[in-house]
Amino acid sequence: MNCKRRINGETLYQLFLRPFTPEGTIAAAEKRLPEVADLGVKILYLCPVAVADDDMDQENWSPRQIASGCNNPRNPYRISDYTKIDPEYGTENDMRSFIRTAHSLGMKVLLDLVYCHAGPSFLKDHPGFAKGLTEYRFPELDFSNPAVCEYLRDNMRFYAFELDADGFRCDMGDKVPLDFWQSAAEELRKIKPDLIMFCEGVPQRDDELELGVFDLYYNWSWSQIRHEILRTGAEKVSAITGPMLTSYPCARYFENHDFANDCYESRIEKVIGAEGIEALLFMDFMLDGVPFLYNGVEFCDTARHSIFANPREFSIDRSNNAAERRNFIKTLTQLRLKTPELYQESVDAISVENDVLCFNRGGKIFCFVNLGQEKQEIITPAGADVFFQSKNAQQLENKVILPKFGFAAFQRKEKE
């Protein structure tokens, strides 16, 4: 059993190579790593870099892939060869250089493992490795076959030891047998004890947290309910409190490659504007778990992104004058690192009052976010001072006025 805490106040950043730069390559992304490090990011999660399947038969494509209209078979989450870096992105040496540069800038790198399913071409070289099709119409890998487990464990060894990755984001991780993840993680952590495991999913078993296999999980419901509230109005604000609480360490995010893909031209930034995005960021950084940034949020990006895009088809729009957003994120990442209460204390006393979300961290930091349409007045908690607030919040003697998307956090003074 290993329940070591490997993430302590760090912020995670998802880097999707296709839109991250106009070139969409590892080498081009490496040149921009100093910009990411300057935000205060400490952990990078890179979307899959293994060779994508080029099978053109749309019977083997997911409905989402067909609906995208991109007509590109090469979905990075439909892999044909796990052992090589996709030439679309670059070479194995490019990947090594990228990771070395990230390390020199104080950032860890997680690589994406797509082990629940593969592309149909994968089976040509590995007959007997699948047991049917997933809901996405992809071959589902058969973990009852020892050869499958050894092939994938060898892939993890290559990433961790040959490329020097610091851990993994496990795509559809709760659909893969926990025993596989446990045995692989235990083996790798004998050499790399700080190896991070990030599961796209939730715990599968009652004893899973005690096993300490995964350091972090997803919380889709937290992201989805906030999209609904901010896109459609405040009618569902009271429903937000349930998804806030989890019994497991979760990533806090409002966008990732899936959300960006499915929003097409109506990205959340375009719909709710800069102040709404800042309110979402405030919540993610003030709550427990780990703040998760999707690439481009620091540039107020509203461009279309797609998992299924062709090379150079879509990329982050960096034309906005986004210095204010980058400074806002830098402030949050530093507050997070320097304030142990934000990653150690529990989330307590959650409520929604007049469309204002209220919660505190262990009775030490008190947070308020106005998710309604009207201005709201909040009383400064006794014995507390302003810790962080939105630029549109109006501070008075013993209260703060919060307009739509306004927020404020207060920190209780330590008794002498």
Side-chain angles (χ1 to χ4, degrees):
M1 183 184 300
N2 184 359
C3 296
K4 178 179 180 179
R5 186 169 185 147
R6 298 178 179 85
I7 307 176
N8 294 286
E10 294 91 346
T11 297
L12 188 150
Y13 182 100
Q14 181 182 11
L15 197 160
F16 182 15
L17 282 169
R18 279 182 179 163
F20 186 68
T21 65
E23 300 87 351
T25 63
I26 296 167
E30 181 180 350
K31 294 176 182 177
R32 288 193 173 272
L33 287 182
E35 297 175 4
V36 181
D38 185 58
L39 294 174
V41 168
K42 298 298 181 183
I43 305 172
L44 293 174
Y45 138 42
L46 198 64
C47 287
V49 293
V51 180
D53 203 314
D54 60 3
D55 174 62
M56 283 297 296
D57 185 353
Q58 293 197 9
E59 288 295 316
N60 301 320
W61 295 16
S62 70
R64 289 170 78 209
Q65 187 164 356
I66 295 170
S68 73
C70 296
N71 202 37
N72 180 12
R74 305 187 74 257
N75 170 1
Y77 288 89
R78 196 181 74 139
I79 292 172
S80 65
D81 189 342
Y82 289 84
T83 66
K84 295 181 176 64
I85 303 297
D86 196 312
E88 175 186 334
Y89 309 128
T91 67
E92 189 176 307
N93 284 336
D94 290 337
M95 194 71 255
R96 286 193 174 91
S97 178
F98 177 97
I99 293 175
R100 281 197 303 269
T101 296
H103 288 168
S104 73
L105 293 166
M107 295 186 291
K108 296 181 178 181
V109 178
L110 311 185
L111 297 183
D112 212 338
L113 304 180
V114 188
Y115 287 176
C116 178
H117 52 254
S121 299
F122 177 75
L123 298 183
K124 295 176 182 178
D125 296 322
H126 300 89
F129 271 36
K131 62 179 181 179
L133 299 178
T134 69
E135 60 185 297
Y136 303 107
R137 305 197 296 210
F138 302 155
E140 183 176 3
L141 296 180
D142 184 2
F143 284 85
S144 68
N145 182 344
V148 171
C149 297
E150 184 56 27
Y151 176 90
L152 296 177
R153 275 196 294 266
D154 196 50
N155 182 231
M156 295 175 74
R157 295 181 193 113
F158 169 69
Y159 283 155
F161 304 138
E162 298 298 322
L163 298 185
D164 201 20
D166 302 285
F168 305 106
R169 181 265 189 184
C170 305
D171 186 68
M172 297 180 67
D174 58 357
K175 305 298 183 185
V176 171
L178 180 62
D179 290 345
F180 168 81
W181 294 126
Q182 182 180 1
S183 63
E186 287 178 351
E187 176 192 332
L188 298 179
R189 283 172 176 160
K190 289 177 182 177
I191 298 173
K192 282 193 165 186
D194 292 327
L195 187 93
I196 295 170
M197 296 286 288
F198 177 22
C199 178
E200 186 201 19
V202 298
Q204 303 172 51
R205 299 188 335 213
D206 292 340
D207 65 343
E208 183 166 333
L209 296 181
E210 296 178 11
L211 296 175
V213 177
F214 290 108
D215 303 285
L216 192 63
Y217 296 84
Y218 268 54
N219 184 355
W220 283 103
S221 58
W222 166 243
S223 306
Q224 290 166 336
I225 189 65
R226 292 192 300 164
H227 270 249
E228 292 178 29
I229 290 169
L230 272 68
R231 285 179 180 273
T232 63
E235 292 82 1
K236 298 181 181 180
V237 169
S238 60
I240 201 171
T241 58
M244 286 177 65
L245 290 177
T246 67
S247 59
Y248 53 87
C250 70
R252 299 289 185 177
Y253 60 94
F254 57 87
E255 193 171 40
N256 57 24
H257 67 280
D258 282 310
F259 276 116
N261 178 86
D262 294 346
C263 288
Y264 286 77
E265 304 291 347
S266 299
R267 296 277 300 281
I268 188 71
E269 176 98 35
K270 183 181 290 187
V271 174
I272 68 174
E275 290 181 347
I277 294 297
E278 288 186 0
L280 291 173
L281 287 166
F282 172 79
M283 283 187 268
D284 288 341
F285 276 83
M286 292 297 125
L287 284 166
D288 57 349
V290 176
F292 176 134
L293 302 173
Y294 178 65
N295 56 193
V297 66
E298 70 273 31
F299 294 103
C300 305
D301 178 38
T302 61
R304 183 182 174 188
H305 291 200
S306 177
I307 309 167
F308 315 112
N310 293 281
R312 302 174 183 259
E313 187 172 6
F314 306 122
S315 65
I316 291 170
D317 180 3
R318 290 180 167 85
S319 66
N320 297 308
N321 182 13
E324 185 174 322
R325 172 65 58 78
R326 292 194 295 276
N327 287 333
F328 180 79
I329 292 173
K330 288 166 69 172
T331 300
L332 287 173
T333 59
Q334 293 309 306
L335 283 176
R336 186 82 182 188
L337 281 171
K338 296 176 180 178
T339 312
E341 291 88 346
L342 291 179
Y343 57 88
Q344 292 180 353
E345 297 291 347
S346 61
V347 177
D348 299 325
I350 303 170
S351 64
V352 174
E353 302 171 13
N354 297 323
D355 294 332
V356 176
L357 175 66
C358 316
F359 61 94
N360 76 70
R361 303 299 308 278
K364 298 176 182 179
I365 294 177
F366 302 82
C367 303
F368 305 86
V369 189
N370 184 5
L371 299 175
Q373 303 295 312
E374 306 296 328
K375 289 183 179 180
Q376 299 293 341
E377 179 181 295
I378 60 171
I379 303 300
T380 303
D385 293 326
V386 172
F387 176 63
F388 185 67
Q389 67 181 33
S390 57
K391 61 180 182 295
N392 59 9
Q394 182 183 2
Q395 186 177 0
L396 304 177
E397 184 175 348
N398 65 341
K399 60 186 177 183
V400 174
I401 308 299
L402 297 181
K404 177 182 178 181
F405 297 142
F407 53 82
F410 302 85
Q411 187 170 37
R412 180 159 285 162
K413 302 171 185 175
E414 293 290 338
K415 293 182 180 180
E416 296 182 0

